Amino acid sequence: MSTQSTAAAISDAVVIPDNAGALIRQRLGLGPDEPLRISYVPGPGDLSGTFEHWRKSEFDPRSPSLAYSTMFFELMRRLDADAQVVMRGDQAMSFDTTDRVSFSRIPMKPMNNLIGYWRSMLDFSLKTRSEIAKFDPHITIVVSNFFWAAFPALRLKGSRLVLTVHCTCWPVGMTNLPLQTRIENIGRSLGLVAVNSAVCISPECARQVQQLSVGRQIPAHVAFHQQIRRWEGADGVTREIAEGDDFHFIYLGRIEEYKGVFDLLEAFKRVHAQNPKTRLTLAGRGAHNDRLTAELERDSLGGAVTYLGQLDWAGVHQLLESADALVCPTRTDFCEGSPAVCYEAATHGVPVVASTVVPSAVEELSEGCLVFPADDVAGLTEALSRVATDADLRKKLSTEIGKCGDVLFDRSQSWGSNLYRALLDATPAPKQSDATALQRA
């Protein structure tokens, strides 16, 4: 893809009207030529690296999906806004920022225990407030893994606050919440008083925001993961399994215990003992890479399990092309938002075996997913065995999930497009006469 065509594709990832910047300014009481300042407090990640790619008119090649930060930078360009990004970390910047985008880095204190966690979050919140105060934004966008109780501190001089929610606050479907979660939800409810609008990565995230915003309705827009481009040959139809072929399970995600990786390994060993014509491929990186490698070395399965490490965009789709089922075995001690890999599987028509705490598996993609109880290795074993041996079930799941892949290329549903709608909702509506004038612009 040429630089010119890539720049057009990045621009198309954010669907907004031509007069979007003028409309936001008018709602904020700014003149058409006055600066519009927007601060962004994202989650962990290398936003500066994504920025380098974006300003060269490149997608971030490290991500199989369209990066949130790519869409943020593009939206700021389209709004003709000055942007501040307040990041975690203390690494030096490897490039000179532009006049329109500035970066601030705040080191995180150690989180060795619960007290250390709260101390670290409080310290980061206070320093973030200080950095934002220097920039004096009209609107601040803050990610949901920020300290919610500190949200009011980010509303400076009448500025507006937009929340972007990437994970649920508690596992989907859970009603008997642990005491710690109930205490945290009190802080979340208090923090939401300062929030003007939200953009959420799944319908479940949006529902939980409304449930926590006691006594008021916060405008919440639901976004969907977006693929950079279609993988050639990804037509929503999975491969045919020839007689004698192995059934190929895959896992794509972080190598963490809370993601259910080790539950999957145990369940697969049980399935493989009964059905040797099965194999498992795991890909990703995380805190438990060494543990996974050690367990694979100890439990020899005759090459039935392969660990590939981290894959790039092409590697992800090549693996999906060879897969017969994707497994997403998240445990209840992790709050999923909406795993992009489930939608990536949909573009290949690959059925998904997922736990009950994966929002998309029990809602948007439910007809193409075989769901098992989270934290239940026996239930996961049964689900793996069913999908590997029941050809009719697999065909039904494949057909249904293949119908869901198009949303990954509907840019009007992107996070960037919905972030713009949340920015509009965060600002006062214009007078009728002003709105009419803007529509004519």
Side-chain angles (χ1 to χ4, degrees), residues 388-410:
T389 57
D390 189 335
D392 290 338
L393 172 64
R394 178 176 171 274
K395 183 176 180 180
K396 171 185 174 295
L397 295 174
S398 176
T399 299
E400 292 301 325
I401 202 166
K403 299 174 182 178
C404 303
D406 287 346
V407 72
L408 274 78
F409 306 96
D410 181 356

Side-chain angles (χ1 to χ4, degrees), residues 46 49-51 53-54 58-65 67 69-70 228:
D46 182 21
T50 304
F51 176 74
H53 289 291
W54 170 79
E58 299 172 352
F59 290 109
D60 191 333
R62 300 167 297 180
S63 173
S65 297
S69 46
T70 296
I228 294 174

Side-chain angles (χ1 to χ4, degrees), residues 167-190:
C167 288
T168 55
C169 297
W170 58 87
V172 59
M174 181 177 287
T175 55
N176 187 19
L177 301 180
L179 177 61
Q180 182 177 336
T181 302
R182 295 201 299 270
I183 294 172
E184 290 172 348
N185 282 349
I186 293 173
R188 291 177 177 126
S189 293
L190 292 173

Side-chain angles (χ1 to χ4, degrees), residues 325-345:
L326 169 78
V327 189
C328 191
T330 308
R331 295 180 58 82
T332 55
D333 48 354
F334 181 72
C335 296
E336 282 281 15
S338 181
V341 68
C342 293
Y343 285 94
E344 290 159 3

